[in-house]
Amino acid sequence: MLVLYSYTVPPLQVGMTEIPIPYSCSSYRSQARLSASGNSSQGSPGEKCLPRLNIMFLKTHKTASSTLANILFRFGEKHRLKFAFPNGRSDFYYPSFFDRSLVKDYQPGVCFNIICNHMRFQYEEVRKLLPADAFFVTVLRDPAYLFESSFHYYGGLIPLTWKLLGDDKLSEFLRDPWHYYDPKSFNAHYLQNLLFFDLGYDSNTDPSSPLVEEYIREIDGRFHLVMLLEYFDESLVLLKDLLCWELEDILYFKLNARKGSTVSKLTDELYQKATVWNLLDAKLYQYFNTTFWHKVEAYGVARMAKDVARLNEENEKMKSICIDGGHPVDANAIQESAMQPWQPLGEESILGYNLKKRIHKKHRKICRKMLTPEIQYLTDLGVNLWITKLWRWVMDFFAVVRG
């Protein structure tokens, strides 16, 4: 029962007639611009571009991607866009490769605006789902810290970690990873080069292979923007500029954050070991860290600092309006079940929020949406999550039995 959720297999795929989809699913003409004060660095001064509505967000694991998904959910609702959602689960049968037939209500030729649920990326399949003017975006994280987060969050679902002894299992694993690691073991992909895996590549590729550079350049050619968790606000400003959005579209509260007491403190030695162990991801991160700062320079360093400060200011305003106490709380202190985030197996390490009791009606709706955890928001958007909910029940049952 423990592995029920991950063992659930995707439906049998069958061949489908190819029907071309429109160049754009947007209600606006693609690349159209209106004469006005500009809100984007794209185009000529004095022009204002229209918001881009067709977006593919590759939701990588443990990279603040749930916070980004919340931004996309709100934007999609605001513009009444059509989401490509999975059916029965909150992901597209991850870790299987994405197939467009897994999309709820998919029919060849049907046009979708946004796709943003977890998947193992398969570019050709996604490309056939979205219009030609769709923007491709993803987010990366320093691989050492991503490894620490993944090791903690998914540890209960990775059988090969169960034999680790002692209180500091992460240090013990990094002492001699190959003593414990088997690439063919169930859920082993969570333990090495998870970014590379999510992007659809073999996470056990030899880091010295010329294929690695080829894959990275392929990613660079496919994605319009690769964001970085460590520079989240700067990333959002670049996203706003790329998609010609308004500041209100990228306001956020941090979702799925862990309690500080559950975060392993990486010494310099452990950091280096974790980086070497995830060398494919390290090469990937290094490459896109460089391209990221090139984009910041093109945007304007002073302009970026000003826009980040403005974003922080508006986020702080929303905190004072929406959040009881102005900060996240432990799971057992969350008063409303609709605000309870998904927790790792047998733990309650993920923080959540309490909505203020008195909120002006002008902000009541947006406050709730900004604070709603991903699973509940998907349900609100009409996604049938029966497999995910069954898995939640199984997890809760085992937690009670073990407790």
Side-chain angles (χ1 to χ4, degrees):
M1 291 293 284
L2 180 61
V3 295
L4 172 67
Y5 186 69
S6 295
Y7 266 131
T8 305
V9 296
L12 179 65
Q13 310 305 321
V14 295
M16 289 177 289
T17 303
E18 293 294 338
I19 300 177
I21 59 176
Y23 177 81
S24 173
C25 293
S26 303
S27 57
Y28 304 118
R29 290 179 57 197
S30 178
Q31 306 299 322
R33 294 180 179 273
L34 294 177
S35 178
S37 59
N39 68 343
S40 169
S41 62
Q42 305 175 57
S44 305
E47 290 183 328
K48 179 178 180 181
C49 57
L50 290 165
R52 301 332 193 231
L53 307 182
N54 300 320
I55 305 150
M56 191 285 152
F57 171 56
L58 178 59
K59 190 175 187 289
T60 48
H61 288 80
K62 313 315 298 173
T63 57
S65 59
S66 291
T67 301
L68 284 160
N70 182 278
I71 290 172
L72 289 168
F73 290 161
R74 288 186 278 121
F75 182 83
E77 281 196 292
K78 173 182 174 181
H79 292 277
R80 298 183 180 181
L81 302 181
K82 186 174 179 63
F83 287 92
F85 283 133
N87 195 13
R89 297 173 43 147
S90 59
D91 60 53
F92 289 103
Y93 287 85
Y94 184 89
S96 299
F97 277 106
F98 175 77
D99 188 286
R100 66 192 186 281
S101 65
L102 298 173
V103 173
K104 181 178 180 290
D105 299 327
Y106 174 75
Q107 293 293 330
V110 170
C111 212
F112 293 93
N113 299 111
I114 297 177
I115 182 167
C116 59
N117 291 73
H118 279 308
M119 67 168 70
R120 190 173 184 199
F121 190 55
Q122 187 158 231
Y123 177 76
E124 291 75 14
E125 282 297 299
V126 174
R127 185 68 278 172
K128 292 171 183 174
L129 181 74
L130 295 170
D133 70 343
F135 284 80
F136 281 60
V137 178
T138 191
V139 57
L140 307 181
R141 182 181 186 180
D142 183 310
Y145 294 113
L146 185 146
F147 171 76
E148 184 279 328
S149 181
S150 179
F151 189 93
H152 168 83
Y153 193 87
Y154 298 110
L157 302 176
I158 310 171
L160 61 84
T161 67
W162 297 348
K163 57 186 176 182
L164 288 165
L165 301 177
D167 294 330
D168 194 348
K169 296 180 185 295
L170 184 140
S171 295
E172 172 59 24
F173 179 86
L174 287 175
R175 183 183 63 79
D176 184 9
W178 285 107
H179 178 71
Y180 300 101
Y181 181 73
D182 177 358
K184 296 180 180 178
S185 178
F186 181 74
N187 275 344
H189 62 276
Y190 286 120
L191 289 182
Q192 189 179 36
N193 298 312
L194 182 54
L195 293 171
F196 226 66
F197 185 88
D198 284 354
L199 282 157
Y201 299 99
D202 181 358
S203 55
N204 294 291
T205 301
D206 182 349
S208 64
S209 169
L211 286 174
V212 176
E213 183 176 346
E214 179 183 326
Y215 293 155
I216 291 173
R217 292 194 178 278
E218 186 172 67
I219 294 165
D220 194 17
R222 289 173 171 174
F223 285 84
H224 298 83
L225 176 63
V226 176
M227 298 179 284
L228 302 179
L229 169 62
E230 287 73 20
Y231 305 99
F232 195 69
D233 290 341
E234 290 87 349
S235 293
L236 287 178
V237 170
L238 290 178
L239 181 71
K240 169 183 172 292
D241 186 61
L242 174 71
L243 301 179
C244 223
W245 287 5
E246 302 296 335
L247 180 62
E248 67 179 36
D249 296 323
I250 60 168
L251 299 181
Y252 72 93
F253 300 135
K254 186 185 294 185
L255 302 178
N256 275 13
R258 285 161 60 194
K259 288 194 293 188
S261 61
T262 68
V263 179
S264 299
K265 302 297 186 277
L266 292 182
T267 63
D268 289 343
E269 181 183 7
L270 285 177
Y271 178 88
Q272 292 301 325
K273 286 182 176 180
T275 299
V276 171
W277 175 243
N278 294 277
L279 194 52
L280 293 177
D281 279 0
K283 288 175 178 284
L284 180 74
Y285 186 85
Q286 182 180 25
Y287 179 92
F288 283 105
N289 185 53
T290 300
T291 64
F292 180 86
W293 291 108
H294 288 165
K295 290 180 185 294
V296 171
E297 289 174 9
Y299 186 84
V301 175
R303 179 186 173 205
M304 175 62 74
K306 179 181 178 182
D307 288 351
V308 165
R310 188 170 167 227
L311 172 60
N312 290 336
E313 181 182 346
E314 292 303 313
N315 279 335
E316 288 302 315
K317 285 181 182 177
M318 292 305 295
K319 280 184 184 179
S320 66
I321 291 170
C322 302
I323 301 174
D324 189 21
H327 56 78
V329 297
D330 290 351
N332 58 13
I334 298 173
Q335 299 165 5
E336 192 177 343
S337 61
M339 293 293 160
Q340 281 285 355
W342 184 273
Q343 300 288 347
L345 180 64
E347 297 187 21
E348 288 191 342
S349 58
I350 304 301
L351 302 173
Y353 297 93
N354 286 317
L355 204 60
K356 275 191 172 180
K357 297 294 188 295
R358 292 187 177 183
I359 300 175
H360 191 279
K361 62 180 180 180
K362 173 184 175 182
H363 296 107
R364 205 170 293 154
K365 187 175 181 180
I366 186 62
C367 284
R368 177 166 290 278
K369 289 183 181 299
M370 289 180 71
L371 291 172
T372 298
E374 183 177 354
I375 298 300
Q376 290 91 320
Y377 209 140
L378 285 169
T379 301
D380 291 344
L381 290 172
V383 183
N384 181 355
L385 299 174
W386 73 269
I387 298 175
T388 297
K389 290 177 179 178
L390 175 61
W391 176 236
R392 175 80 270 171
W393 180 87
V394 172
M395 290 175 68
D396 290 343
F397 174 78
F398 272 94
V400 170
V401 171
R402 291 170 62 186

